[in-house]
Structures are given as C-alpha cells and as structure tokens.
C-alpha cells in the first residue's frame, strides 16, 4: 500500500481559472481540467491527514473531496489565497470536538492574529474557529512522530515554505529556491512546482523557470500547479511538455 497520497484540491492562481470577467480560450474552456480553484493540496502520509494551505475555496474543496477532518494544516505563507478559508475550520472543530493544529512561520502567525483576531481572543465568541498554532522554520519537524521536511523558497522578497512528505515534495508560490535547499529535493518520485505563465514573473516561476528547476531536481514525475489563464488549455500545455512533466488539475491524485 502507498505510504503517501497527494490530492490536488486546487491548481489555480490567486484569482482562479476562469478569472472573473475573462472570456479567453482558457477561461471559456469546457474541459474540467481547465477549471482551477485556488492552490492547495491534501496529503495522506504515514497515517496523517495533512492539508497544505486553506484558501478561499476551502469549503468547496473539502465538500468535493469528502474530507471530514485533518490532523494538521501546514501553511506556506500568509497571502489570502492560501489562508482565506481558515474560518471554515470551525466545521472540523465542531465535528471533531477539538482544536485544529496549524503549523506556520512566526510572521504568518502574526498575520493570522491580525486578520482573525477573534480566533485568538481571550474570551472567544461562541463558534469562533479553534486553532493551536505551532511555529516552524525550514528545519525538519515531526507531527505525531512523522517527519515533515520544509523547503525554503522566496516569493519575490517573501520567505515561503514548501514541504516534503516521503518521496513527494510540494512547492508553490516561489520564484527562487536557494542552492542549499536542493539537497532536500533529492530522489523524489513526485515534485510539484508552481508555474504561472511564460516569461519572467516577479514572484512565481515562469514555465521556463519551472522546467529548469524540474531538470535540476530530477524527480521521476514533475507536476505544474498554480497555473493561470495565460498558459494554454490543459490539452495543449500537456502536449508541449516533456513526457515526465505534467500540468496538474483539480482532483488529481498522485501516489508514492
């Protein structure tokens, strides 16, 4: 039996695909693989149920995949398309009768304390989300004895984290990975990397940049996520990529 399974909950940019008000070929595509919610994944690893990021489409993603609870939520950074659904964790609190465990960097917690002040209040309003926040950095850490390996990247100037679970690594919202971090990406079965469009982008890997990183990592399979409508429709993009590199799509499952 596979030790690790990753489900793509969303594979789109901060605005999703289709983008509001856009009638381009991608946004008007009828292929369900071109319908992209905000980027997030659900990982089942060594008995743990892990969610990476909880954006504005969190509720829809949980219902679509039939997810009724998680053991931990790992946040990559503090941008709204990755944290905007955290209020809906209240449903898990109600069902599981316990706080949800959130792992993030200190600056991310500081941002949550501003945006969700009611969740951190001393005398919380009844029904407010219940979180236990655990601070991490780019050093390995354990959840219930299971090791998670963070991967440091830069999102323009913002430090962000990707994560390795066994032989699957997930890196979104990056345009730079420091040289010393590539040691953490050796011998992967699956490597997931963000890719917004062709041509340089200030805070995300371009298609060209993502392919360069993928070649350096050398995973058996590389999956592109955080895709925008500025890239071709799924069928066209898939056809132009090397055989071991694929566009991810919402609902796709990969296994180690």
């Amino acid at each position: 039996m596979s030790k690790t399974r990753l489900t793509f909950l969303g594979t789109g940019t901060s605005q999703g695909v289709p983008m509001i008000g856009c009638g381009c070929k991608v946004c008007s595509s009828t292929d369900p693989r071109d319908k992209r919610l905000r980027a997030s994944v659900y990982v089942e690893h060594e008995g743990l149920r892990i969610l990476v990021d909880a954006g504005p489409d969190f509720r829809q993603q949980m219902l679509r995949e039939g997810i009724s609870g998680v053991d931990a939520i790992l946040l990559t950074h503090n941008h709204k398309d990755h944290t905007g659904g955290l209020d809906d964790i209240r449903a898990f609190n109600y069902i599981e009768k316990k706080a949800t465990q959130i792992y993030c960097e200190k600056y991310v917690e500081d941002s949550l304390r501003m945006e969700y002040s009611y969740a951190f209040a001393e005398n919380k309003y009844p029904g407010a989300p219940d979180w236990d926040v655990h601070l991490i950095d780019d050093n390995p850490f354990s959840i219930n004895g299971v090791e998670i390996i963070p991967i440091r990247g830069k999102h323009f100037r913002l430090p962000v984290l990707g994560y390795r679970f066994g032989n699957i690594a997930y890196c979104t919202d990056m345009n730079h990975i420091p040289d010393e971090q590539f040691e953490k990406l050796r011998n992967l079965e699956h490597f997931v990397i963000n890719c917004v469009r062709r041509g340089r982008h200030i805070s995300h890997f371009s298609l060209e940049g993502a392919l360069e990183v993928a070649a350096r990592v050398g995973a058996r399979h590389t999956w592109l996520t955080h895709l925008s409508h500025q890239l071709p429709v799924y069928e066209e993009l898939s056809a132009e990529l090397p055989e071991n590199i694929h566009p991810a799509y919402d609902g796709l499952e990969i296994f180690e």
Side-chain angles (χ1 to χ4, degrees), residues 4-256:
T4 307
R5 175 170 66 178
L6 181 150
T7 302
F8 289 93
L9 302 176
T11 56
T13 59
S14 60
Q15 297 189 76
V17 182
M19 189 177 78
I20 293 172
C22 184
C24 75
K25 180 177 179 179
V26 177
C27 287
S28 58
S29 170
T30 58
D31 187 337
R33 294 171 297 186
D34 290 319
K35 309 298 184 186
R36 302 184 183 280
L37 300 177
R38 267 62 74 93
S40 175
V41 293
Y42 176 66
V43 181
E44 295 162 280
H45 175 58
E46 300 285 2
L48 288 179
R49 303 165 300 162
I50 300 169
L51 184 69
V52 181
D53 291 332
D57 303 314
F58 171 82
R59 177 179 178 275
Q60 183 179 352
Q61 292 163 340
M62 297 300 98
L63 292 172
R64 187 192 71 208
E65 299 299 331
I67 297 170
S68 58
V70 296
D71 298 304
I73 296 178
L74 313 184
L75 298 178
T76 58
H77 62 300
N78 65 338
H79 287 170
K80 204 70 169 183
D81 55 319
H82 296 262
T83 64
L86 286 173
D87 181 80
D88 284 325
I89 287 173
R90 293 178 293 134
F92 290 164
N93 300 151
Y94 178 79
I95 291 168
E96 298 188 323
K97 310 299 183 194
K98 62 181 181 180
T100 299
Q101 308 303 304
I102 295 179
Y103 293 77
C104 65
E105 296 194 81
K106 180 62 167 62
Y107 83 89
V108 178
E109 182 195 26
D110 292 343
S111 179
L112 297 181
R113 286 183 177 276
M114 288 190 293
E115 294 187 39
Y116 296 99
S117 58
Y118 58 93
F120 294 91
E122 185 174 344
N123 297 305
K124 290 202 292 188
Y125 189 84
D130 190 10
W131 310 334
D132 285 339
V133 178
H134 307 265
L135 296 181
I136 58 173
D137 52 25
D138 62 357
N139 291 302
F141 64 96
S142 294
I143 302 174
N144 298 342
V146 177
E147 184 180 60
I148 310 295
I149 301 175
I151 299 128
R152 170 65 69 207
K154 281 293 188 73
H155 185 33
F156 187 39
R157 296 191 180 98
L158 185 72
V160 298
L161 292 176
Y163 298 98
R164 178 170 181 161
F165 311 93
N167 289 325
I168 298 178
Y170 177 76
C171 295
T172 189
D173 286 54
M174 296 181 181
N175 68 326
H176 175 69
I177 300 175
D179 288 341
E180 68 272 12
Q181 296 295 308
F182 280 87
E183 183 65 26
K184 300 177 182 178
L185 298 171
R186 291 168 57 92
N187 302 317
L188 288 173
E189 181 73 16
H190 296 283
F191 176 50
V192 183
I193 185 171
N194 72 115
C195 168
V196 169
R197 68 184 189 198
R198 303 184 199 276
R200 185 180 180 275
H201 189 280
I202 194 170
S203 59
H204 292 273
F205 283 118
S206 64
L207 177 58
E208 299 84 356
L211 294 179
E212 288 179 8
V213 173
R216 181 172 178 180
V217 170
R220 286 191 62 189
H221 302 281
T222 294
W223 304 89
L224 306 179
T225 193
H226 210 286
L227 303 168
S228 81
H229 68 154
Q230 296 179 37
L231 288 164
V233 294
Y234 176 88
E235 286 283 7
E236 293 177 9
L237 180 57
S238 183
E240 72 176 65
L241 294 172
E243 63 178 2
N244 68 323
I245 299 180
H246 324 273
Y249 56 86
D250 293 18
L252 172 69
E253 295 182 351
I254 57 177
F255 302 84
E256 178 207 330

